[in-house]
Amino acid sequence: MAFVREILDQHCLNQFLKLALKSFNEGNYHQTIESLEMIRQHDETVGHKCSDVVTFYLIEARVAMAKLYWKQGNATAAIEEYREAIKLAPRYADLHLSLGRIYAGRHEYQQAENFFKKALEINPNYIEALLSQAYLAAEQNLPEKAVKLFIGLSAKTNFYKQELYDKALAEVNKGDLAKAIKDFNLAFKTSPDRAETLCALGQDALRDNSCQEAVKYFLQAKKLKPGYADIYNLLGVCYTHTGEWSKAARLLKQAVKLAPHFTRAWLNLSIVNERLDRKSQALTACKKAVSLEPKNILAAEAMERLSEKTPPRKSGRSKK
């Protein structure tokens, strides 16, 4: 009877998952979250690890709901959804950046600063987070700090209008920090919005399984922001969908090189190396993900699987 009950349970869970994916594609994120949470809570109750698919779509649905609430002006509900998403993916820099921006919009500056710092701890080359810090300092009337942050940005990206940047520097030298900050804002604001839009379009295309279209958007974004690790990670994911595993591996290696604390990229690299039968490299990448985020369910699951598959290294000494 216990065996029959287990089969019935699995059948019900599969039905809930189908319902959740259908709801997600229809934009019914409330229903998606409800169905996926039932699966996750069931797995937790019986001691099973939640599947990658459930976790991924639950995060995406939470983020989609947060964005809808934010557009509607319901910052409290948006914050709650982002916090729930962070519980599932605490090392996902975008979530921390988004929360920081909401708090900045509410003039809760210390909270905003904390989340921007967290995003940069995860991805030190996260240009949007650095820009957000600079804008936040300017909004708080901290001109010296804002100027320092804007100048520091020029060493991390060439993605700004040089003429306006030079004008701002000249104003700094004259001691007119108010004018300098205004021109720094204009210098850095022109292009980042376009790259961010391209990334958003690419992610939408990826969700719709239009991988070629997603690649097109991400490659355009990469030209604008070649030092942005998230783009390499997203491109790597695209190529796993098309079966181009070696290309995916190269891009994911670049992602972790740019952002050594990028847990999701390390985990993706581990999965790709495993697919390429590079067991040792897969285990190394997985260990890195686990060390960065010991409570990450996906990383722990992959670690257990790889540890079983990878034989222990032979000793250099011959047996006597």
Side-chain angles (χ1 to χ4, degrees):
M1 288 298 293
F3 178 68
V4 172
R5 192 181 303 113
E6 187 175 334
I7 292 174
L8 289 172
D9 282 350
Q10 192 56 53
H11 174 74
C12 290
L13 293 175
N14 288 337
Q15 292 304 311
F16 274 121
L17 182 57
K18 286 179 183 178
L19 175 63
L21 296 182
K22 182 175 181 291
S23 300
F24 184 87
N25 290 329
E26 292 172 352
N28 187 349
Y29 303 118
H30 276 299
Q31 182 63 59
T32 304
I33 292 167
E34 186 177 320
S35 299
L36 293 177
E37 277 294 345
M38 288 186 72
I39 298 171
R40 191 178 70 83
Q41 288 170 18
H42 172 273
D43 287 346
E44 193 175 275
T45 302
V46 299
H48 290 171
K49 291 173 182 173
C50 193
S51 76
D52 296 7
V53 173
V54 171
T55 304
F56 173 79
Y57 279 101
L58 190 50
I59 293 167
E60 292 298 307
R62 292 277 186 198
V63 169
M65 279 303 307
K67 288 178 179 177
L68 283 174
Y69 282 133
W70 181 238
K71 283 181 182 178
Q72 294 166 4
N74 190 345
T76 302
I79 287 170
E80 185 179 342
E81 292 296 340
Y82 275 122
R83 286 188 177 277
E84 288 298 320
I86 284 174
K87 288 179 185 177
L88 297 166
R91 301 289 298 180
Y92 191 13
D94 279 2
L95 299 179
H96 296 278
L97 175 66
S98 297
L99 256 180
R101 284 175 169 170
I102 291 176
Y103 280 117
R106 287 159 58 105
H107 307 296
E108 296 180 45
Y109 299 126
Q110 189 55 58
Q111 283 274 46
E113 180 69 20
N114 290 341
F115 280 106
F116 294 151
K117 283 181 178 178
K118 186 65 179 177
L120 287 165
E121 177 189 314
I122 296 165
N123 182 358
N125 293 307
Y126 201 170
I127 302 302
E128 277 81 5
L130 289 164
L131 271 171
S132 294
Q133 276 192 324
Y135 298 149
L136 189 67
E139 190 175 335
Q140 293 178 87
N141 197 25
L142 300 170
E144 291 86 359
K145 181 179 179 181
V147 165
K148 184 178 179 182
L149 287 166
F150 278 123
I151 292 174
L153 267 166
S154 67
K156 289 185 174 286
T157 180
N158 54 9
F159 194 40
Y160 55 88
K161 281 194 171 180
Q162 189 67 51
E163 184 182 347
L164 282 168
Y165 180 83
D166 291 344
K167 183 183 175 186
L169 276 183
E171 287 158 351
V172 170
N173 292 330
K174 291 176 183 176
D176 194 343
L177 299 188
K179 276 189 179 178
I181 288 170
K182 184 179 178 182
D183 285 323
F184 275 132
N185 268 309
L186 292 171
F188 283 98
K189 259 185 178 174
T190 41
S191 299
D193 289 342
R194 182 168 173 240
E196 192 172 323
T197 300
L198 287 167
C199 278
L201 289 169
Q203 286 174 302
D204 286 342
L206 189 56
R207 290 189 194 103
D208 292 337
N209 291 318
S210 303
C211 293
Q212 289 185 338
E213 187 180 358
V215 166
K216 179 186 73 175
Y217 287 127
F218 292 139
L219 286 175
Q220 289 179 54
K222 186 165 74 73
K223 285 181 181 178
L224 295 171
K225 291 165 56 175
Y228 187 32
D230 271 10
I231 295 173
Y232 293 90
N233 178 60
L234 290 165
L235 272 169
V237 171
C238 285
Y239 288 125
T240 65
H241 284 247
T242 58
E244 297 174 82
W245 299 95
S246 295
K247 192 177 286 188
R250 288 196 297 273
L251 287 156
L252 291 165
K253 282 180 184 177
Q254 183 63 21
V256 297
K257 182 180 178 182
L258 289 166
H261 296 91
F262 195 172
T263 307
R264 182 173 289 197
W266 279 111
L267 190 53
N268 286 337
L269 180 58
S270 175
I271 292 167
V272 169
N273 278 328
E274 185 181 6
R275 182 64 174 74
L276 289 167
D277 204 31
R278 300 170 182 170
K279 300 294 194 306
S280 178
Q281 292 178 47
L283 185 59
T284 299
C286 192
K287 283 179 178 177
K288 183 66 177 177
V290 171
S291 70
L292 288 168
E293 195 178 322
K295 293 183 180 180
N296 186 299
I297 296 170
L298 303 182
E301 190 176 273
M303 187 71 178
E304 185 178 336
R305 183 178 66 252
L306 287 166
S307 297
E308 289 174 358
K309 286 185 178 180
T310 307
R313 290 184 179 181
K314 293 181 180 180
S315 170
R317 299 176 183 176
S318 59
K319 291 184 178 180
K320 292 183 180 180

Short mmCIF file of all heavy atoms in Angstrom, two decimals, residues 210-264:
data_model
loop_
_atom_site.label_atom_id
_atom_site.label_comp_id
_atom_site.label_asym_id
_atom_site.label_seq_id
_atom_site.Cartn_x
_atom_site.Cartn_y
_atom_site.Cartn_z
N SER A 210 12.75 30.36 -27.16
CA SER A 210 13.28 30.91 -28.42
C SER A 210 14.76 31.20 -28.22
O SER A 210 15.18 32.36 -28.08
CB SER A 210 12.52 32.19 -28.80
OG SER A 210 11.14 31.95 -28.91
N CYS A 211 15.54 30.13 -28.21
CA CYS A 211 16.95 30.26 -27.83
C CYS A 211 17.77 31.09 -28.79
O CYS A 211 18.63 31.86 -28.38
CB CYS A 211 17.58 28.87 -27.68
SG CYS A 211 16.90 27.96 -26.29
N GLN A 212 17.51 30.94 -30.09
CA GLN A 212 18.29 31.71 -31.07
C GLN A 212 18.03 33.21 -30.91
O GLN A 212 18.96 34.02 -31.00
CB GLN A 212 17.94 31.26 -32.49
CG GLN A 212 18.47 29.87 -32.82
CD GLN A 212 18.21 29.49 -34.26
OE1 GLN A 212 17.32 30.04 -34.90
NE2 GLN A 212 18.98 28.53 -34.77
N GLU A 213 16.78 33.55 -30.65
CA GLU A 213 16.45 34.96 -30.44
C GLU A 213 17.10 35.48 -29.16
O GLU A 213 17.62 36.59 -29.12
CB GLU A 213 14.93 35.11 -30.36
CG GLU A 213 14.47 36.57 -30.30
CD GLU A 213 12.96 36.71 -30.22
OE1 GLU A 213 12.27 35.67 -30.25
OE2 GLU A 213 12.49 37.85 -30.11
N ALA A 214 17.10 34.63 -28.11
CA ALA A 214 17.72 35.02 -26.84
C ALA A 214 19.21 35.26 -27.02
O ALA A 214 19.76 36.25 -26.51
CB ALA A 214 17.49 33.93 -25.79
N VAL A 215 19.87 34.38 -27.75
CA VAL A 215 21.31 34.52 -28.00
C VAL A 215 21.59 35.85 -28.70
O VAL A 215 22.55 36.55 -28.36
CB VAL A 215 21.84 33.33 -28.85
CG1 VAL A 215 23.23 33.65 -29.41
CG2 VAL A 215 21.89 32.07 -28.01
N LYS A 216 20.75 36.19 -29.67
CA LYS A 216 20.92 37.45 -30.41
C LYS A 216 20.91 38.65 -29.46
O LYS A 216 21.79 39.52 -29.52
CB LYS A 216 19.80 37.59 -31.44
CG LYS A 216 19.85 38.88 -32.26
CD LYS A 216 18.62 39.02 -33.14
CE LYS A 216 17.40 39.37 -32.32
NZ LYS A 216 16.20 39.64 -33.16
N TYR A 217 19.94 38.67 -28.53
CA TYR A 217 19.85 39.77 -27.58
C TYR A 217 21.05 39.80 -26.62
O TYR A 217 21.62 40.86 -26.34
CB TYR A 217 18.56 39.67 -26.78
CG TYR A 217 17.32 40.02 -27.56
CD1 TYR A 217 16.24 39.12 -27.61
CD2 TYR A 217 17.20 41.23 -28.22
CE1 TYR A 217 15.09 39.44 -28.32
CE2 TYR A 217 16.05 41.55 -28.93
CZ TYR A 217 15.00 40.65 -28.99
OH TYR A 217 13.86 40.97 -29.69
N PHE A 218 21.42 38.63 -26.12
CA PHE A 218 22.52 38.57 -25.15
C PHE A 218 23.86 38.96 -25.79
O PHE A 218 24.70 39.60 -25.14
CB PHE A 218 22.63 37.18 -24.52
CG PHE A 218 21.47 36.83 -23.62
CD1 PHE A 218 20.92 35.56 -23.63
CD2 PHE A 218 20.93 37.78 -22.76
CE1 PHE A 218 19.85 35.23 -22.80
CE2 PHE A 218 19.86 37.46 -21.93
CZ PHE A 218 19.32 36.18 -21.95
N LEU A 219 24.06 38.58 -27.05
CA LEU A 219 25.30 38.95 -27.73
C LEU A 219 25.38 40.47 -27.93
O LEU A 219 26.45 41.07 -27.81
CB LEU A 219 25.40 38.24 -29.08
CG LEU A 219 25.73 36.73 -29.01
CD1 LEU A 219 25.67 36.12 -30.41
CD2 LEU A 219 27.10 36.49 -28.38
N GLN A 220 24.24 41.08 -28.22
CA GLN A 220 24.21 42.55 -28.34
C GLN A 220 24.53 43.21 -27.00
O GLN A 220 25.28 44.18 -26.94
CB GLN A 220 22.83 43.01 -28.82
CG GLN A 220 22.53 42.68 -30.26
CD GLN A 220 21.13 43.13 -30.66
OE1 GLN A 220 20.77 44.29 -30.50
NE2 GLN A 220 20.33 42.21 -31.17
N ALA A 221 23.96 42.64 -25.94
CA ALA A 221 24.22 43.18 -24.59
C ALA A 221 25.69 43.00 -24.22
O ALA A 221 26.29 43.88 -23.60
CB ALA A 221 23.32 42.48 -23.57
N LYS A 222 26.28 41.87 -24.64
CA LYS A 222 27.69 41.59 -24.31
C LYS A 222 28.62 42.61 -24.98
O LYS A 222 29.64 43.00 -24.41
CB LYS A 222 28.06 40.17 -24.74
CG LYS A 222 29.48 39.75 -24.32
CD LYS A 222 29.67 38.26 -24.42
CE LYS A 222 29.80 37.78 -25.83
NZ LYS A 222 31.12 38.13 -26.43
N LYS A 223 28.26 43.04 -26.18
CA LYS A 223 29.07 44.06 -26.86
C LYS A 223 29.07 45.37 -26.08
O LYS A 223 30.08 46.07 -26.01
CB LYS A 223 28.54 44.31 -28.28
CG LYS A 223 28.87 43.20 -29.26
CD LYS A 223 28.33 43.54 -30.64
CE LYS A 223 28.63 42.42 -31.63
NZ LYS A 223 28.07 42.74 -32.97
N LEU A 224 27.92 45.68 -25.48
CA LEU A 224 27.80 46.92 -24.71
C LEU A 224 28.47 46.80 -23.34
O LEU A 224 29.04 47.76 -22.83
CB LEU A 224 26.33 47.28 -24.53
CG LEU A 224 25.56 47.62 -25.81
CD1 LEU A 224 24.08 47.75 -25.51
CD2 LEU A 224 26.08 48.91 -26.43
N LYS A 225 28.39 45.61 -22.76
CA LYS A 225 28.91 45.43 -21.40
C LYS A 225 29.73 44.13 -21.32
O LYS A 225 29.29 43.13 -20.77
CB LYS A 225 27.76 45.38 -20.40
CG LYS A 225 27.06 46.72 -20.26
CD LYS A 225 25.73 46.63 -19.58
CE LYS A 225 25.80 45.99 -18.24
NZ LYS A 225 24.51 46.01 -17.52
N PRO A 226 30.93 44.14 -21.89
CA PRO A 226 31.73 42.92 -21.94
C PRO A 226 32.24 42.43 -20.58
O PRO A 226 32.71 41.31 -20.47
CB PRO A 226 32.91 43.31 -22.85
CG PRO A 226 32.99 44.80 -22.73
CD PRO A 226 31.58 45.28 -22.56
N GLY A 227 32.12 43.26 -19.56
CA GLY A 227 32.59 42.84 -18.24
C GLY A 227 31.47 42.42 -17.31
O GLY A 227 31.68 42.31 -16.09
N TYR A 228 30.29 42.12 -17.84
CA TYR A 228 29.12 41.81 -17.02
C TYR A 228 28.91 40.30 -17.00
O TYR A 228 28.51 39.69 -17.98
CB TYR A 228 27.90 42.53 -17.61
CG TYR A 228 26.65 42.45 -16.80
CD1 TYR A 228 26.68 42.38 -15.42
CD2 TYR A 228 25.41 42.44 -17.42
CE1 TYR A 228 25.51 42.32 -14.68
CE2 TYR A 228 24.23 42.37 -16.69
CZ TYR A 228 24.30 42.31 -15.32
OH TYR A 228 23.14 42.24 -14.59
N ALA A 229 29.17 39.68 -15.85
CA ALA A 229 29.17 38.22 -15.73
C ALA A 229 27.82 37.59 -16.04
O ALA A 229 27.75 36.50 -16.61
CB ALA A 229 29.63 37.82 -14.33
N ASP A 230 26.73 38.26 -15.67
CA ASP A 230 25.40 37.69 -15.87
C ASP A 230 25.13 37.37 -17.34
O ASP A 230 24.47 36.38 -17.66
CB ASP A 230 24.32 38.65 -15.35
CG ASP A 230 23.99 38.41 -13.89
OD1 ASP A 230 24.73 37.63 -13.26
OD2 ASP A 230 23.03 38.98 -13.40
N ILE A 231 25.63 38.20 -18.25
CA ILE A 231 25.39 37.98 -19.67
C ILE A 231 26.06 36.68 -20.13
O ILE A 231 25.47 35.90 -20.87
CB ILE A 231 25.90 39.17 -20.51
CG1 ILE A 231 25.10 40.43 -20.18
CG2 ILE A 231 25.80 38.87 -22.01
CD1 ILE A 231 25.61 41.69 -20.83
N TYR A 232 27.28 36.43 -19.66
CA TYR A 232 27.98 35.20 -20.03
C TYR A 232 27.26 33.98 -19.45
O TYR A 232 27.17 32.94 -20.11
CB TYR A 232 29.42 35.25 -19.52
CG TYR A 232 30.26 36.30 -20.21
CD1 TYR A 232 30.33 37.60 -19.72
CD2 TYR A 232 30.96 36.01 -21.38
CE1 TYR A 232 31.08 38.58 -20.36
CE2 TYR A 232 31.72 36.97 -22.03
CZ TYR A 232 31.77 38.26 -21.51
OH TYR A 232 32.51 39.21 -22.15
N ASN A 233 26.75 34.13 -18.24
CA ASN A 233 26.00 33.03 -17.64
C ASN A 233 24.73 32.74 -18.45
O ASN A 233 24.43 31.58 -18.75
CB ASN A 233 25.62 33.39 -16.20
CG ASN A 233 24.79 32.32 -15.53
OD1 ASN A 233 25.21 31.17 -15.39
ND2 ASN A 233 23.59 32.67 -15.12
N LEU A 234 24.01 33.78 -18.83
CA LEU A 234 22.77 33.60 -19.59
C LEU A 234 23.05 33.02 -20.98
O LEU A 234 22.30 32.17 -21.46
CB LEU A 234 22.04 34.94 -19.71
CG LEU A 234 21.43 35.47 -18.40
CD1 LEU A 234 21.05 36.94 -18.54
CD2 LEU A 234 20.21 34.64 -18.01
N LEU A 235 24.12 33.47 -21.60
CA LEU A 235 24.50 32.90 -22.90
C LEU A 235 24.85 31.42 -22.76
O LEU A 235 24.47 30.60 -23.59
CB LEU A 235 25.70 33.66 -23.47
CG LEU A 235 25.40 34.88 -24.33
CD1 LEU A 235 26.66 35.67 -24.60
CD2 LEU A 235 24.72 34.48 -25.65
N GLY A 236 25.57 31.10 -21.68
CA GLY A 236 25.90 29.70 -21.42
C GLY A 236 24.66 28.85 -21.28
O GLY A 236 24.58 27.74 -21.84
N VAL A 237 23.67 29.36 -20.58
CA VAL A 237 22.39 28.64 -20.41
C VAL A 237 21.72 28.43 -21.77
O VAL A 237 21.20 27.35 -22.07
CB VAL A 237 21.46 29.40 -19.45
CG1 VAL A 237 20.06 28.77 -19.45
CG2 VAL A 237 22.03 29.39 -18.03
N CYS A 238 21.75 29.46 -22.61
CA CYS A 238 21.15 29.35 -23.95
C CYS A 238 21.78 28.20 -24.74
O CYS A 238 21.08 27.41 -25.38
CB CYS A 238 21.35 30.64 -24.74
SG CYS A 238 20.27 32.00 -24.23
N TYR A 239 23.10 28.12 -24.68
CA TYR A 239 23.79 27.09 -25.48
C TYR A 239 23.57 25.69 -24.91
O TYR A 239 23.70 24.70 -25.65
CB TYR A 239 25.27 27.44 -25.59
CG TYR A 239 25.53 28.61 -26.51
CD1 TYR A 239 26.24 29.73 -26.08
CD2 TYR A 239 25.04 28.61 -27.82
CE1 TYR A 239 26.46 30.81 -26.93
CE2 TYR A 239 25.26 29.68 -28.67
CZ TYR A 239 25.96 30.78 -28.22
OH TYR A 239 26.16 31.85 -29.07
N THR A 240 23.23 25.59 -23.63
CA THR A 240 22.87 24.26 -23.11
C THR A 240 21.54 23.82 -23.72
O THR A 240 21.33 22.64 -23.97
CB THR A 240 22.76 24.24 -21.57
OG1 THR A 240 21.68 25.08 -21.14
CG2 THR A 240 24.05 24.69 -20.91
N HIS A 241 20.65 24.78 -23.96
CA HIS A 241 19.36 24.45 -24.57
C HIS A 241 19.53 23.98 -26.01
O HIS A 241 18.72 23.18 -26.50
CB HIS A 241 18.43 25.68 -24.55
CG HIS A 241 17.85 25.96 -23.20
ND1 HIS A 241 16.51 25.85 -22.91
CD2 HIS A 241 18.44 26.34 -22.04
CE1 HIS A 241 16.29 26.16 -21.64
NE2 HIS A 241 17.45 26.47 -21.10
N THR A 242 20.54 24.50 -26.71
CA THR A 242 20.76 24.11 -28.10
C THR A 242 21.76 22.96 -28.23
O THR A 242 22.10 22.55 -29.34
CB THR A 242 21.27 25.31 -28.93
OG1 THR A 242 22.49 25.82 -28.35
CG2 THR A 242 20.22 26.42 -28.95
N GLY A 243 22.25 22.46 -27.09
CA GLY A 243 23.17 21.33 -27.10
C GLY A 243 24.60 21.67 -27.43
O GLY A 243 25.43 20.79 -27.68
N GLU A 244 24.94 22.96 -27.42
CA GLU A 244 26.32 23.39 -27.71
C GLU A 244 27.09 23.50 -26.39
O GLU A 244 27.37 24.59 -25.89
CB GLU A 244 26.29 24.73 -28.47
CG GLU A 244 25.60 24.62 -29.82
CD GLU A 244 25.43 25.96 -30.51
OE1 GLU A 244 26.39 26.42 -31.15
OE2 GLU A 244 24.34 26.55 -30.40
N TRP A 245 27.43 22.33 -25.85
CA TRP A 245 27.95 22.25 -24.49
C TRP A 245 29.34 22.86 -24.33
O TRP A 245 29.62 23.51 -23.32
CB TRP A 245 27.95 20.80 -24.03
CG TRP A 245 26.57 20.22 -24.01
CD1 TRP A 245 25.96 19.49 -25.00
CD2 TRP A 245 25.60 20.38 -22.98
NE1 TRP A 245 24.67 19.18 -24.64
CE2 TRP A 245 24.42 19.70 -23.40
CE3 TRP A 245 25.60 21.00 -21.74
CZ2 TRP A 245 23.27 19.64 -22.62
CZ3 TRP A 245 24.46 20.94 -20.96
CH2 TRP A 245 23.31 20.27 -21.40
N SER A 246 30.20 22.67 -25.32
CA SER A 246 31.56 23.23 -25.23
C SER A 246 31.53 24.76 -25.25
O SER A 246 32.26 25.42 -24.51
CB SER A 246 32.43 22.72 -26.40
OG SER A 246 32.61 21.33 -26.30
N LYS A 247 30.66 25.31 -26.09
CA LYS A 247 30.52 26.76 -26.15
C LYS A 247 29.96 27.29 -24.82
O LYS A 247 30.39 28.33 -24.31
CB LYS A 247 29.58 27.13 -27.31
CG LYS A 247 29.58 28.60 -27.65
CD LYS A 247 28.68 28.89 -28.85
CE LYS A 247 29.30 28.45 -30.14
NZ LYS A 247 28.50 28.91 -31.31
N ALA A 248 29.00 26.54 -24.27
CA ALA A 248 28.43 26.92 -22.98
C ALA A 248 29.50 26.92 -21.89
O ALA A 248 29.56 27.84 -21.07
CB ALA A 248 27.30 25.95 -22.60
N ALA A 249 30.37 25.92 -21.91
CA ALA A 249 31.43 25.82 -20.90
C ALA A 249 32.37 27.01 -20.96
O ALA A 249 32.74 27.58 -19.92
CB ALA A 249 32.22 24.52 -21.09
N ARG A 250 32.73 27.44 -22.18
CA ARG A 250 33.65 28.58 -22.33
C ARG A 250 33.02 29.86 -21.77
O ARG A 250 33.68 30.65 -21.08
CB ARG A 250 34.00 28.77 -23.81
CG ARG A 250 34.94 27.72 -24.36
CD ARG A 250 35.56 28.16 -25.69
NE ARG A 250 34.55 28.33 -26.72
CZ ARG A 250 34.12 27.34 -27.51
NH1 ARG A 250 34.60 26.12 -27.37
NH2 ARG A 250 33.22 27.58 -28.46
N LEU A 251 31.76 30.06 -22.05
CA LEU A 251 31.08 31.27 -21.56
C LEU A 251 30.91 31.25 -20.04
O LEU A 251 31.07 32.27 -19.38
CB LEU A 251 29.72 31.39 -22.25
CG LEU A 251 29.80 31.82 -23.72
CD1 LEU A 251 28.57 31.38 -24.48
CD2 LEU A 251 30.01 33.33 -23.83
N LEU A 252 30.59 30.09 -19.50
CA LEU A 252 30.41 30.00 -18.05
C LEU A 252 31.73 30.17 -17.31
O LEU A 252 31.77 30.74 -16.21
CB LEU A 252 29.75 28.66 -17.70
CG LEU A 252 28.29 28.55 -18.15
CD1 LEU A 252 27.81 27.10 -18.10
CD2 LEU A 252 27.39 29.43 -17.29
N LYS A 253 32.82 29.70 -17.92
CA LYS A 253 34.15 29.94 -17.34
C LYS A 253 34.45 31.44 -17.27
O LYS A 253 35.02 31.94 -16.31
CB LYS A 253 35.24 29.23 -18.16
CG LYS A 253 35.33 27.74 -17.92
CD LYS A 253 36.43 27.14 -18.79
CE LYS A 253 36.48 25.63 -18.66
NZ LYS A 253 37.50 25.04 -19.56
N GLN A 254 34.04 32.15 -18.32
CA GLN A 254 34.24 33.60 -18.33
C GLN A 254 33.38 34.27 -17.27
O GLN A 254 33.81 35.24 -16.62
CB GLN A 254 33.90 34.15 -19.72
CG GLN A 254 34.14 35.64 -19.89
CD GLN A 254 35.61 36.03 -19.73
OE1 GLN A 254 36.50 35.20 -19.88
NE2 GLN A 254 35.86 37.29 -19.41
N ALA A 255 32.16 33.76 -17.07
CA ALA A 255 31.26 34.32 -16.05
C ALA A 255 31.88 34.22 -14.66
O ALA A 255 31.88 35.20 -13.90
CB ALA A 255 29.91 33.60 -16.09
N VAL A 256 32.43 33.06 -14.32
CA VAL A 256 33.00 32.90 -12.97
C VAL A 256 34.35 33.60 -12.84
O VAL A 256 34.76 33.96 -11.74
CB VAL A 256 33.12 31.40 -12.58
CG1 VAL A 256 31.74 30.76 -12.52
CG2 VAL A 256 34.02 30.63 -13.53
N LYS A 257 35.01 33.81 -13.97
CA LYS A 257 36.25 34.59 -13.94
C LYS A 257 35.95 36.04 -13.61
O LYS A 257 36.66 36.68 -12.81
CB LYS A 257 36.96 34.49 -15.30
CG LYS A 257 38.29 35.23 -15.35
CD LYS A 257 38.94 35.10 -16.72
CE LYS A 257 40.24 35.88 -16.80
NZ LYS A 257 40.86 35.80 -18.15
N LEU A 258 34.89 36.57 -14.20
CA LEU A 258 34.49 37.96 -13.95
C LEU A 258 33.88 38.13 -12.56
O LEU A 258 34.04 39.17 -11.92
CB LEU A 258 33.48 38.42 -15.00
CG LEU A 258 34.03 38.63 -16.42
CD1 LEU A 258 32.89 38.75 -17.42
CD2 LEU A 258 34.91 39.88 -16.47
N ALA A 259 33.15 37.11 -12.11
CA ALA A 259 32.47 37.18 -10.81
C ALA A 259 32.73 35.88 -10.04
O ALA A 259 31.93 34.95 -10.10
CB ALA A 259 30.98 37.40 -11.00
N PRO A 260 33.85 35.80 -9.32
CA PRO A 260 34.22 34.55 -8.64
C PRO A 260 33.24 34.09 -7.57
O PRO A 260 33.29 32.94 -7.14
CB PRO A 260 35.58 34.90 -8.00
CG PRO A 260 36.08 36.06 -8.78
CD PRO A 260 34.87 36.83 -9.18
N HIS A 261 32.33 34.98 -7.13
CA HIS A 261 31.36 34.60 -6.10
C HIS A 261 29.97 34.34 -6.70
O HIS A 261 28.97 34.33 -5.97
CB HIS A 261 31.26 35.70 -5.04
CG HIS A 261 32.52 35.90 -4.27
ND1 HIS A 261 33.49 36.80 -4.66
CD2 HIS A 261 32.99 35.30 -3.15
CE1 HIS A 261 34.50 36.75 -3.81
NE2 HIS A 261 34.22 35.85 -2.89
N PHE A 262 29.90 34.11 -7.99
CA PHE A 262 28.65 33.93 -8.71
C PHE A 262 28.23 32.45 -8.61
O PHE A 262 28.54 31.64 -9.47
CB PHE A 262 28.85 34.35 -10.16
CG PHE A 262 27.58 34.56 -10.94
CD1 PHE A 262 27.66 35.11 -12.23
CD2 PHE A 262 26.34 34.23 -10.45
CE1 PHE A 262 26.51 35.32 -12.98
CE2 PHE A 262 25.19 34.43 -11.18
CZ PHE A 262 25.28 34.98 -12.45
N THR A 263 27.49 32.11 -7.56
CA THR A 263 27.15 30.71 -7.27
C THR A 263 26.42 30.04 -8.43
O THR A 263 26.72 28.91 -8.81
CB THR A 263 26.27 30.62 -6.01
OG1 THR A 263 26.93 31.29 -4.95
CG2 THR A 263 26.03 29.17 -5.62
N ARG A 264 25.43 30.73 -8.99
CA ARG A 264 24.62 30.13 -10.05
C ARG A 264 25.49 29.77 -11.26
O ARG A 264 25.31 28.72 -11.88
CB ARG A 264 23.50 31.08 -10.46
CG ARG A 264 22.59 30.51 -11.53
CD ARG A 264 21.40 31.40 -11.80
NE ARG A 264 20.47 31.38 -10.70
CZ ARG A 264 19.21 31.80 -10.80
NH1 ARG A 264 18.76 32.27 -11.94
NH2 ARG A 264 18.40 31.77 -9.76
#
